[in-house]
Amino acid sequence: MEHSKSIKTQDNAEPIVEIENLLVEWDSKPVLNKFNLVMKPGEKIAIIGPSGCGKSTTLRVLAGLLLPTSGNLKLFGSTQSYLRLDQTNPPDVRLVFQNPALLGSLTVEENVGFLLRKNQSMSESKIKEIVISCLQEVGLYNVSNKLPSQLSGGMQKRVSFARALVKGSSLQSSSMPLLLFDEPTSGLDPIACTRIEDLIIKTTNVAKGCSIVVSHVMSTIERSAERVLMLYGGKIQWDGTIKEFKESDNSFIKQFRTGSLQGPIQPEII
Ligand SMILES: Nc1ncnc2c1ncn2[C@@H]1O[C@H](COP(=O)(O)OP(=O)(O)OP(=O)(O)O)[C@@H](O)[C@H]1O
């Protein structure tokens, strides 16, 4: 297995993510099995793998939306045993969904400021100021009072990025949040893809975060990640730098890059 070494990665620092022997089952069938991962502060990771291999499941576990069947998960050094909603001092992990998942009855401003209003005793004017600056960071102006349904799909995506820039005070204070992007560019035209990739890079930099992007889109993988993980058969089959990914002769990586039907990745026989 090849191992990534990013220049900006803080090799000796405490890992942001430590996953040991994780098992996640759906209907008694393992989706993740003996899954291990260490992510250092500053890393930008892409998780790739065929449809149904468990990429979104991995993000859901990291986001605290799903508890594993067994195994150990540590985020920012704290063992995770509860769903995020049940945690009094949750870790700073921010998920940008494939679909923006905005609350339809709330305005853009209320959607982006949701965590601030829920968790903090902050003045309304301060909340509005933070929300407007986050919206401006992602190129949205004069949309605060609109409902999500009044925006285009692309604008709704931008709102979900602005939401990832807001930090709730109930989140464990960490100087480096973990941002999770689930198939952010799937189904977009190449130009819209470039815009969203720019946003992934910008959002991660503005939040001073590290990131995990799940994607099948080659430009998104190449632009947003420095380390690539290939997930298949419930575990990480390959782990390397983006440069190694582009050149590797590994059978999983070669098959993924070329889209060949020949190779170790085959349809599941039920
Ligand atoms: N709520 C659920 N109930 C039962 N099975 C589920 C559920 N969610 C996911 N699964 C199963 O877990 C497996 C992994 O799903 P997951 O969504 O993590 O895959 P993925 O790699 O993200 O796929 P894709 O690239 O198609 O989005 C699939 O076989 C899926 O059917």
Side-chain angles (χ1 to χ4, degrees):
M1 197 183 283
E2 291 159 67
H3 287 282
S4 105
K5 272 265 178 294
S6 156
I7 340 154
K8 283 169 246 150
T9 303
Q10 299 164 22
D11 273 344
N12 299 323
E14 182 170 51
I16 298 264
V17 176
E18 283 176 278
I19 296 178
E20 205 184 350
N21 250 334
L22 204 77
L23 173 69
V24 176
E25 291 180 322
W26 285 115
D27 309 323
S28 311
K29 200 172 142 272
V31 173
L32 300 179
N33 196 0
K34 300 195 180 106
F35 182 105
N36 294 292
L37 172 66
V38 173
M39 180 180 191
K40 295 280 177 62
E43 282 201 301
K44 294 182 168 58
I45 290 180
I47 301 184
I48 61 170
S51 210
C53 73
K55 303 178 297 297
S56 298
T57 301
T58 306
L59 294 193
R60 288 173 65 78
V61 170
L62 290 170
L65 299 171
L66 178 70
L67 283 178
T69 312
S70 64
N72 293 317
L73 166 64
K74 271 192 191 176
L75 294 174
F76 304 99
S78 302
T79 300
Q80 303 294 303
S81 331
Y82 299 98
L83 290 175
R84 198 67 87 243
L85 273 177
D86 300 327
Q87 291 180 305
T88 43
N89 196 14
D92 194 351
V93 178
R94 312 175 194 182
L95 177 64
V96 178
F97 288 94
Q98 181 172 4
N99 297 313
L102 303 175
L103 298 165
S105 59
L106 300 186
T107 63
V108 166
E109 201 266 331
E110 288 164 339
N111 265 287
V112 177
F114 191 78
L115 267 186
L116 294 175
R117 290 208 168 79
K118 185 163 174 274
N119 299 318
Q120 337 206 113
S121 48
M122 194 182 263
S123 72
E124 266 304 301
S125 59
K126 183 72 191 160
I127 292 176
K128 286 207 163 82
E129 187 190 313
I130 294 174
V131 168
I132 284 173
S133 93
C134 291
L135 287 169
Q136 287 178 353
E137 285 287 359
V138 300
L140 287 174
Y141 300 86
N142 303 322
V143 293
S144 301
N145 296 324
K146 292 198 188 298
L147 292 171
S149 58
Q150 295 173 293
L151 304 180
S152 73
M155 288 167 98
Q156 290 182 32
K157 270 200 180 210
R158 281 173 183 266
V159 175
S160 70
F161 280 84
R163 198 172 44 184
L165 288 176
V166 171
K167 181 182 183 329
S169 72
S170 74
L171 300 172
Q172 263 172 36
S173 61
S174 107
S175 53
M176 189 170 279
L178 172 59
L179 273 64
L180 308 174
F181 299 94
D182 195 3
E183 301 199 27
T185 51
S186 63
L188 295 181
D189 70 68
I191 297 157
C193 254
T194 305
R195 289 207 179 99
I196 293 294
E197 288 157 5
D198 288 347
L199 271 183
I200 295 171
I201 297 163
K202 184 169 184 189
T203 312
T204 309
N205 288 341
V206 170
K208 298 188 178 63
C210 43
S211 58
I212 302 182
V213 178
V214 160
S215 183
H216 302 292
V217 180
M218 215 48 97
S219 67
T220 307
I221 297 164
E222 291 186 6
R223 289 195 63 209
S224 66
E226 293 163 355
R227 177 182 174 194
V228 180
L229 309 176
M230 157 64 76
L231 183 58
Y232 188 66
K235 54 176 74 65
I236 293 169
Q237 302 285 353
W238 187 90
D239 179 349
T241 64
I242 192 73
K243 184 168 181 292
E244 289 161 348
F245 167 72
K246 287 192 229 170
E247 296 163 357
S248 176
D249 274 343
N250 174 280
S251 51
F252 286 97
I253 298 302
K254 247 173 121 173
Q255 190 183 3
F256 185 88
R257 271 201 325 256
T258 58
S260 169
L261 299 181
Q262 313 302 320
I265 302 172
Q266 292 302 323
E268 196 180 351
I269 296 157
I270 301 167

